[in-house]
Amino acid sequence: MAGKNRPNPKIKDVAALAEVSVTTVSRVLNGHPYVRLELRDKVDAAIKRLGYSPSAIARSLVTKKTNLIGVIVSDISASFFATILGSIEETASRMGYSILVCNIMEDLKKELRYLEIFKSLRVDGIILMHEATTQAIARFITSIGIPVVLSSIKPEGLHFPLVNIDEEAAAREATAYLVDCGHRRIGLIGGELNDSSSSLLRYRGYSKALAEKGLPFDESIVRFGNYKMPDGYRLMGELLAAGERPTAVFCLSDDMAAGAMNRLADEGLHVPGDISVMGFDDSAIASMVRPALTTIHQPIADIGSASVEMLVKRIMGSADSISEIILSHSIVERASCARI
C-alpha cells in the first residue's frame, strides 16, 4: 500500500518505513560493509515495498562515480568503428560501466562540445578514437582531469595511454607482400596525411617497403581522400585515368578497398585478374566482398577490450606503469591479390 501512496518515494520514505536513519539507507545503497544484517534486511524490504529507485545523479555525488565511459569516434558508419564499438560496449558492460558514444563526423568543434558534455556529466573516463586535434582540445582534455585512453590512434600532440598496432610496420609488410607476389607497380589509396597520423604512418610503411625492395616511388599512382567507400571508388577512377595503371593497389582501409573494387567492376576490370587489391583492418566487410579481400588484420575487438581494461585501471587508481599497448597484426590472404 505504501508504494501506491508514494509514486515517487524518496530515501527518507525508505528510512521511515524501515525505522532507520537516512544515513543507514545510504550505506546500504552504496554497499557499505559496516551495516548490521538485520538493518540491511529491513532497508531492502522497505525498498522493495516502496518500489524505490535511487537517483543515479544522487548516487554519483556520494560515490564520486557515474560508471559512465564517454567514447568519441570520427564516423560511426565505418566498418572498423562498428566492430570496435561492439567490443568496447561488451567489455564495459562486463566491468560494470555504460558507454556514451559521440559521433563527431570529423567536426573538431563538435568534438570539443562533446568533451565539455562529458565533463558536465561527470563521466569516469574517456576513450578517444579521433586523431585530428587542436591545441584547444588538447588543453581541455588535460585540464579536466578525467582518465583518457587513445584507442587505435596515435595522434601528434596528445600524450595519453594508448592501444594500437604498429601501423607503419603493418603497411610495410603489406606492400612487401605485394612485391613478393610479383607486382612492381603498386598504387596507394589512403587518407589525407594532414588529417590522420594513421594515414601518415601507413604511407611511410608503403614508401619504405618500395625503397627496401628497390622499386621507385611513383607519385602518379598515389591518391589521398578519406577512409570511406565512396572515396575508394572515386580515387580508383583517378588512378585508372592517370596513365599506365598499376598492377596492384594498396588501400589503407577495407572500406576504401571495397569502393575501389566496385569501381574496377564498373570499368569492366577483374580483381585480381587485371588489378590486385589489398586492404587494411580486416573488418567485417573484408570477408563479405567478392572476391574476398586480402588485407592487414588488426585485432579490432582486442583493441576495444584492451582500451576499456586500461581505462578502468586508471579510473580505479590501480594503473600500472604500462602506458602503451601495441597488439600484433598479420596478413590475411584471401582472393583479391594475384601472383604474377
Side-chain angles (χ1 to χ4, degrees), residues 144-159:
I144 58 179
I146 297 175
V148 174
V149 166
L150 309 178
S151 182
S152 73
I153 62 171
K154 193 174 184 179
E156 296 292 335
L158 287 182
H159 305 290

Side-chain angles (χ1 to χ4, degrees), residues 87 91 149 151 163 300-312 325 327:
S87 173
T91 307
V149 166
S151 182
V163 181
I300 303 175
D302 291 342
I303 293 173
S305 60
S307 300
V308 175
E309 290 165 0
M310 176 183 273
L311 181 62
V312 170
I325 296 176
L327 300 177

Side-chain angles (χ1 to χ4, degrees), residues 297-331:
H297 170 76
Q298 291 198 75
I300 303 175
D302 291 342
I303 293 173
S305 60
S307 300
V308 175
E309 290 165 0
M310 176 183 273
L311 181 62
V312 170
K313 283 185 178 180
R314 279 154 175 76
I315 292 171
M316 302 300 292
S318 60
D320 51 32
S321 60
I322 298 175
S323 61
E324 183 172 288
I325 296 176
I326 303 299
L327 300 177
S328 60
H329 60 270
S330 61
I331 293 176

Side-chain angles (χ1 to χ4, degrees), residues 35 39 57 123 127 133 180 225-226 232 252 254-255 266:
V35 179
L39 293 182
I57 295 175
V123 300
I127 294 176
T133 187
D180 292 342
N226 56 37
L252 299 188
D254 290 344
D255 284 8
D266 287 350

Side-chain angles (χ1 to χ4, degrees), residues 16 33 37-38 44 51 66 85 92 105 115 124 132 140-141 148 211 225 276 285 295 303 308:
L37 181 59
E38 61 269 25
D44 287 341
T66 59
L85 283 173
M105 296 300 293
L115 287 169
D124 294 330
F140 184 81
I141 294 176
V148 174
S276 292
I285 198 172
T295 187
I303 293 173
V308 175

Side-chain angles (χ1 to χ4, degrees), residues 29-185:
L29 290 172
N30 292 295
H32 198 287
Y34 303 115
V35 179
R36 296 200 310 273
L37 181 59
E38 61 269 25
L39 293 182
R40 189 182 301 277
D41 289 342
K42 290 176 69 176
V43 170
D44 287 341
I47 288 172
K48 184 176 181 180
R49 182 176 176 186
L50 291 170
Y52 172 72
S53 179
S55 164
I57 295 175
R59 178 177 287 180
S60 72
L61 293 173
V62 174
T63 64
K64 307 300 182 185
K65 286 188 63 183
T66 59
N67 288 89
L68 293 175
I69 292 174
V71 183
I72 289 182
V73 300
S74 55
D75 184 357
I76 202 170
S77 67
S79 300
F80 175 89
F81 290 119
T83 303
I84 197 169
L85 283 173
S87 173
I88 287 173
E89 193 284 327
E90 181 180 354
T91 307
S93 179
R94 173 170 49 82
M95 301 185 79
Y97 290 82
S98 299
I99 65 171
L100 300 174
V101 180
C102 295
N103 184 29
I104 66 170
M105 296 300 293
E106 310 290 348
D107 185 335
L108 294 180
K109 291 182 179 178
K110 186 182 290 187
E111 179 175 0
L112 183 57
R113 186 163 69 250
Y114 279 136
L115 287 169
E116 291 170 344
I117 291 172
F118 287 165
K119 179 185 177 182
S120 68
L121 291 175
R122 302 164 59 91
V123 300
D124 294 330
I126 296 171
I127 294 176
L128 187 62
M129 292 190 285
H130 181 241
E131 295 185 290
T133 187
T134 64
Q135 288 297 318
I137 290 174
R139 285 194 301 268
F140 184 81
I141 294 176
T142 302
S143 71
I144 58 179
I146 297 175
V148 174
V149 166
L150 309 178
S151 182
S152 73
I153 62 171
K154 193 174 184 179
E156 296 292 335
L158 287 182
H159 305 290
F160 295 103
L162 64 88
V163 181
N164 203 0
I165 65 167
D166 187 334
E167 296 181 273
E168 182 175 320
R172 188 171 68 247
E173 291 171 23
T175 307
Y177 168 84
L178 292 172
V179 176
D180 292 342
C181 285
H183 297 280
R184 297 295 178 266
R185 187 167 174 77

